[in-house]
Amino acid sequence: MRLIQLSEIDSSMIDLVGGKAAGLGEMIKVGERVPDGFCLTVESYASRDLPENELIDAYERLGGGRVAVRSSATAEDLPDASFAGQQDTYLDVEGAGPLLDAVRRCWDSLHTERAVAYRAALGIDETAMAVVVQRMIDPVAAGVLFTANPITGCRTEMIVDAALGLGTAIVEGTVVPDHYVLGHQGPAAPDDGGCLDGDQLEELREAGRRLQESFGSPQDIEWAIDADGTLWLLQSRPITTLFPAPPHTDDMRLYLEFGHIQGMLRPTTPMGVSLLKTASGMWFKGVGATVDPRDPLPRLVPIGGRLYFDLTGFVRNKTMRNGLRTSLEVYGPRVQGAVERMLDDPRFAPRRGLPFRLGSAVKMTARVAPGAAFGLARSLARPDAARARAYRAVQEIKRQTVPPSEPATSAERFRWVVEDSHRAVMSPDMMGIVWPLMAGILAGTVPSGLLKGIAAAEELDIVLGGMPYNVTTEMDLALWQVAVSAREHRDLFLGTPPQELAAKYRAGELPDIGMAGFLDRYGMRAAAEIDVGVARWAEDPAPLFATIANYLRVDDPGQAPDLRFRQAAERAEKMIETLSRRTRRTRPVRGRLATFFMRRSRKLTGLREIGKFAWLSPLQAARRQLLLIGADLVSRGLLERAGDVMFLDLPEVRAAVHDGADHRALVAARRAEYERELRRPAVPGALLSDGTDVEALAPPGPAEDGVLTGMAGAAGRATGRARVIRDPADARIEPGEILVAPTTDPGWTPLFLTTAGLVTETGSPMAHGPTVAREYGIPAVICVRNATHEIKTGQLITIDGAAGTVRIEGNG
């Protein structure tokens, strides 16, 4: 079938007619007013055989005259890819010759540089082109209608942009349109002087409501009004840029993104969320909290695969809301400012009641406080002994994490994952790890208060440099030593792709450079490692081989990471002496206290990573058992592949194991959604329950040309070529380049050893990225909005880690 009327098309025919034609056909089927027309299907494009006579006959049956000729690619107008403007449209086409020429040009537009680049960015390999031919409408006004606010994400607002004449000027950005914001309910009154009246806006709003309901998601609609006042709908496609909406609630809620403070912006798998909640619920139950087994952490809400904390009760509490400004400093100025704006919003005015059960809070405090006081005091008094206890606890947790004996049934494996895998690590004090860890954090923060007005922030950052006993720093330096061992095979490791090196390693075909020993100790780590659904380095060491290649490019001995780390440690010791002498001359008591805590900080602050490090062994063990369950479900025909188990939650796995529930369709949908979210370039830090990105409500601040403003992460200045990296796997960074990334967690930190500085879009001074940057003595600027888009690889940039600024020097 090469030609088909639009009225005969539905959404199931997208592979034949493309996304635009499928959408038009569905609009006609639900009774919307769409200009009459037909579609030249992809069969003609695939054969490169243009049926000229059939096409001209169909054009004449349409009435001849002026028509619109529009591209309709098979990968167009999809839920995660609009392809807006990527292929061509030709208006006012009249006559057989111009029609045939316009069709051929639509075909050719599939292969323009911009269209090819767009598909590559979305990971779309193959597509084909159909062409829509429709009667031209002579509009007196035209434009676009969004059934949700595309800027803020608000689902209770519709946006109309309108201009006199053709709407193409709006799409192309060549006119300033009339702009209307409509509620989903209430009067649709126009602004004075606009080209639309209230009745026309109401008609548009009703059309938007109908189309959103028909298609099941917010829509981007092109429309036109002719001289008779008739509204024509020209296109409707999903708004692909919207962040997924929070779960429906009857009351307005405020959610705070939980992951980016720990350097994790990628989505978490459903199993990752489920096991995190179940395991954390064990800890809360252990300290006396009342836990609902159906949802142990109800305030932790997955939205778009990311973990958000429901902050509503704390914002509405008269006492607690006043302390939010200070407590949210760790989230950075963007998120902090967003929450502060909500404090003045009448929807979050104070209410009576606490955001938690007072009885549970009292019980938890009574259980935890005595041990906390003793543990903190003992750790500060004898830091070396406290550190040794923490290390022993890590080994004890690993020793007690014993999977079921083989052979084991899937039911036995499942019970172990749910009940036993996290029993040791989720004890109230994590077997003695918590209090040395907390003592280290305390010791690291106290000096800034004691030395206020005496020591600059840059000087205090130096004190934190070269920090010993950090398991992540030790891991990075251990990988450097593996790279040192690889130098005699430099050509092999530089000239072979990381995935191929990983395959050779698994096959035993690589020279021994110490990788086995490294993986034995650190193989449970990975980027986004708190998600049990993510493969560990032990399963896929390709990212490590990519990093080793980066290390092998370090030619300057002075840039060797182990040397830089030792130098940072030496500078820290000298700075402590300097600050001690300076303070004791004027404030001897304060000086002695500050010196005490700086010394304790050097002995304990490195332990800040050890809690999560201890947790990774149980996570890895649970992952292995879940994958074995997945393999069994594959053999029973309930899943397609073992890894699909990570796209189920624990109750769903239980239903599959015990009741034979077939989740293949559910897994396919969730995997597709997960892969879409992996490509999302930005994640809202604060979100309202109507979908509004709170940061988008902020008025733009003053901007200096060429300067991006963020937040101080690690003091120092550096100038170098930018290297924009969105995923650490297979990433290449040259020595001396400045890493620009959306976020960083421990899986990223091996890249730090050869970089001259760090710029991230999210994070907090306490997050992994800036903490490790300070320890390596490299500057870091965090919370730079859209940094990975504003900065291009190869640009010369200067970062000031104390001022929190990035200056783009240019391209040369």
Side-chain angles (χ1 to χ4, degrees):
M1 183 185 302
R2 295 194 290 183
L3 286 172
I4 183 171
Q5 294 298 309
L6 292 181
S7 59
E8 299 174 4
I9 293 173
D10 60 45
S11 59
S12 68
M13 303 166 70
I14 189 169
D15 290 339
L16 179 66
V17 301
K20 187 178 277 92
L24 291 169
E26 286 292 330
M27 290 165 66
I28 293 171
K29 285 193 178 306
V30 296
E32 300 295 344
R33 189 181 294 109
V34 175
D36 194 14
F38 61 87
C39 176
L40 178 68
T41 70
V42 300
E43 290 182 1
S44 293
Y45 171 82
S47 65
R48 303 306 290 186
D49 176 22
L50 184 59
E52 296 184 2
N53 293 334
E54 292 178 58
L55 190 59
I56 293 170
D57 287 345
Y59 167 64
E60 291 175 350
R61 287 196 302 274
L62 192 61
R66 296 179 300 115
V67 293
V69 181
R70 312 173 69 192
S71 302
S72 182
T74 53
E76 192 170 341
D77 294 356
L78 301 179
D80 60 335
S82 70
F83 277 77
Q86 301 304 316
Q87 278 94 44
D88 289 347
T89 289
Y90 298 96
L91 304 179
D92 288 320
V93 176
E94 187 169 8
L99 172 63
L100 298 176
D101 181 61
V103 170
R104 290 189 179 97
R105 284 188 285 167
C106 282
W107 281 359
D108 292 341
S109 71
L110 193 64
H111 304 289
T112 62
E113 184 177 347
R114 70 171 185 266
V116 171
Y118 185 90
R119 291 196 298 273
L122 293 173
I124 296 172
D125 296 325
E126 296 182 4
T127 187
M129 177 69 77
V131 178
V132 171
V133 179
Q134 289 178 282
R135 280 196 308 107
M136 275 293 300
I137 301 297
D138 287 322
V140 295
V144 293
L145 162 66
F146 296 95
T147 65
N149 190 317
I151 304 301
T152 67
C154 180
R155 272 33 176 218
T156 59
E157 291 179 346
M158 292 190 189
I159 304 297
V160 176
D161 282 344
L164 296 175
L166 292 171
T168 52
I170 295 177
V171 177
E172 294 167 357
T174 58
V175 300
V176 178
D178 294 335
H179 185 74
Y180 307 90
V181 180
L182 312 177
H184 277 228
Q185 297 178 344
D191 294 338
D192 292 339
C195 64
L196 299 180
D197 60 31
D199 290 341
Q200 290 169 325
L201 289 173
E202 181 61 33
E203 189 176 8
L204 280 168
R205 182 169 62 182
E206 287 305 312
R209 274 181 172 171
R210 293 193 302 270
L211 288 173
Q212 178 168 300
E213 184 175 344
S214 295
F215 287 107
S217 66
Q219 295 291 297
D220 167 0
I221 302 162
E222 292 183 20
W223 55 269
I225 297 175
D226 65 19
D228 296 328
T230 301
L231 173 64
W232 295 89
L233 301 180
L234 310 178
Q235 180 169 299
S236 186
R237 61 190 177 202
I239 306 176
T240 59
T241 57
L242 292 177
F243 190 72
H248 176 73
T249 58
D250 294 329
D251 191 16
M252 182 62 72
R253 315 296 295 178
L254 173 60
Y255 301 100
L256 196 65
E257 206 277 319
F258 183 77
H260 86 267
I261 194 172
Q262 291 296 320
M264 182 175 169
L265 278 186
R266 62 182 288 157
T268 304
T269 61
M271 181 56 70
V273 175
S274 187
L275 187 59
L276 173 64
K277 285 195 170 199
T278 298
S280 300
M282 294 176 65
W283 185 86
F284 280 101
K285 189 174 181 179
V287 297
T290 301
V291 176
D292 184 346
R294 295 169 298 179
D295 189 357
L297 295 181
R299 283 198 179 90
L300 200 61
V301 182
I303 306 172
R306 281 76 179 186
L307 297 173
Y308 282 80
F309 182 78
D310 186 347
L311 198 65
T312 311
F314 298 89
V315 173
R316 287 180 174 154
N317 182 268
K318 189 172 184 180
T319 302
M320 293 182 175
R321 72 194 330 251
N322 295 327
L324 284 176
R325 289 181 171 87
T326 301
S327 62
L328 290 174
E329 286 180 358
V330 297
Y331 274 86
R334 286 168 37 204
V335 174
Q336 184 183 22
V339 174
E340 286 180 349
R341 281 190 291 278
M342 291 299 99
L343 295 178
D344 298 323
D345 190 310
R347 295 173 295 181
F348 294 99
R351 297 182 181 179
R352 296 176 62 86
L354 292 169
F356 49 78
R357 294 186 180 91
L358 183 60
S360 290
V362 170
K363 188 186 298 183
M364 288 175 62
T365 303
R367 289 193 182 186
V368 172
F374 176 73
L376 290 172
R378 184 167 66 156
S379 298
L380 290 171
R382 300 185 60 198
D384 294 333
R387 195 173 59 250
R389 284 195 300 275
Y391 287 150
R392 288 196 299 271
V394 172
Q395 294 304 314
E396 182 61 18
I397 289 169
K398 191 173 183 178
R399 188 188 68 80
Q400 291 190 23
T401 306
V402 182
S405 301
E406 298 295 342
T409 65
S410 287
E412 291 168 337
R413 298 185 197 281
F414 180 79
R415 187 205 61 76
W416 182 85
V417 168
V418 174
E419 298 180 12
D420 296 333
S421 65
H422 283 65
R423 188 180 301 278
V425 74
M426 288 301 170
S427 61
D429 68 345
M430 292 182 71
M431 295 198 165
I433 290 176
V434 168
W435 308 127
L437 182 157
M438 295 301 295
I441 293 174
L442 174 67
T445 56
V446 169
S448 61
L450 292 172
L451 298 177
K452 189 174 183 179
I454 299 172
E458 295 93 327
E459 292 175 315
L460 292 172
D461 271 350
I462 291 173
V463 172
L464 298 175
M467 188 71 70
Y469 314 120
N470 185 320
V471 289
T472 298
T473 305
E474 291 170 349
M475 175 193 73
D476 295 341
L477 292 173
L479 187 58
W480 167 256
Q481 291 303 318
V482 174
V484 170
S485 300
R487 283 176 181 166
E488 61 181 295
H489 310 285
R490 190 173 189 273
D491 291 344
L492 170 65
F493 288 97
L494 283 177
T496 309
Q499 290 293 348
E500 187 175 335
L501 287 170
K504 287 179 177 294
Y505 171 75
R506 286 190 289 264
E509 298 172 1
L510 285 184
D512 183 7
I513 59 173
M515 181 60 79
F518 179 89
L519 289 175
D520 185 60
R521 186 171 183 185
Y522 298 110
M524 72 286 205
R525 307 209 75 170
E529 60 197 4
I530 65 170
D531 180 1
V532 73
V534 171
R536 313 286 114 171
W537 285 338
E539 301 168 57
D540 180 15
L544 300 176
F545 287 111
T547 303
I548 288 170
N550 290 331
Y551 292 171
L552 290 174
R553 297 186 183 100
V554 178
D555 296 322
D556 181 1
Q559 293 299 311
D562 50 353
L563 175 61
R564 291 169 61 186
F565 185 77
R566 286 197 301 272
Q567 290 171 339
E570 291 167 1
R571 288 195 297 271
E573 293 296 338
K574 290 178 181 176
M575 182 56 68
I576 291 175
E577 292 296 334
T578 298
L579 294 178
S580 178
R581 289 193 300 269
R582 183 191 304 170
T583 310
R584 288 185 181 188
R585 284 196 298 267
T586 57
R587 299 182 179 181
V589 175
R590 184 178 292 191
R592 288 188 178 89
L593 281 172
T595 301
F596 170 82
F597 280 106
M598 284 189 288
R599 296 286 184 206
R600 287 299 184 265
S601 175
R602 300 289 303 171
K603 290 179 176 291
L604 291 172
T605 300
L607 293 177
R608 70 179 302 279
E609 299 279 337
I610 200 170
K612 191 174 80 166
F613 185 76
W615 182 24
L616 294 177
S617 289
L619 268 180
Q620 184 184 37
R623 175 176 170 80
R624 289 170 175 162
Q625 295 302 307
L626 287 167
L627 289 173
L628 289 170
I629 293 172
D632 177 54
L633 295 178
V634 169
S635 70
R636 294 164 59 185
L638 302 177
L639 291 179
E640 295 292 339
R641 43 189 167 177
D644 286 351
V645 73
M646 300 303 173
F647 292 93
L648 302 174
D649 60 26
L650 288 169
E652 290 162 349
V653 174
R654 178 186 289 111
V657 169
H658 292 285
D659 304 325
D662 186 338
H663 293 309
R664 285 176 293 183
L666 176 63
V667 164
R670 285 181 178 170
R671 185 182 285 277
E673 180 183 1
Y674 177 82
E675 290 173 353
R676 285 198 299 270
E677 286 302 315
L678 281 174
R679 297 191 293 268
R680 185 173 296 280
V683 176
L687 198 63
L688 297 183
S689 51
D690 65 3
T692 299
D693 177 353
V694 183
E695 288 183 60
L697 302 177
E704 182 182 347
D705 286 346
V707 175
L708 305 177
T709 302
M711 182 181 187
R717 289 172 60 88
T719 298
R721 300 288 175 188
R723 175 69 67 171
V724 179
I725 297 175
R726 294 184 175 87
D727 188 332
D730 301 341
R732 172 174 176 170
I733 186 164
E734 299 287 345
E737 289 182 327
I738 294 174
L739 171 61
V740 182
T743 186
T744 55
D745 72 357
W748 286 77
T749 59
L751 296 175
F752 292 11
L753 293 187
T754 54
T755 188
L758 172 68
V759 178
T760 67
E761 294 178 332
T762 63
S764 83
M766 298 297 292
H768 303 286
T771 296
V772 175
R774 288 191 295 268
E775 293 173 1
Y776 290 156
I778 62 173
V781 180
I782 60 178
C783 299
V784 180
R785 190 173 180 88
N786 295 325
T788 60
H789 297 276
E790 297 288 342
I791 302 170
K792 309 299 181 187
T793 292
Q795 284 182 319
L796 190 67
I797 62 174
T798 296
I799 67 173
D800 188 328
T805 59
V806 180
R807 179 180 294 276
I808 301 175
E809 306 290 356
N811 296 313

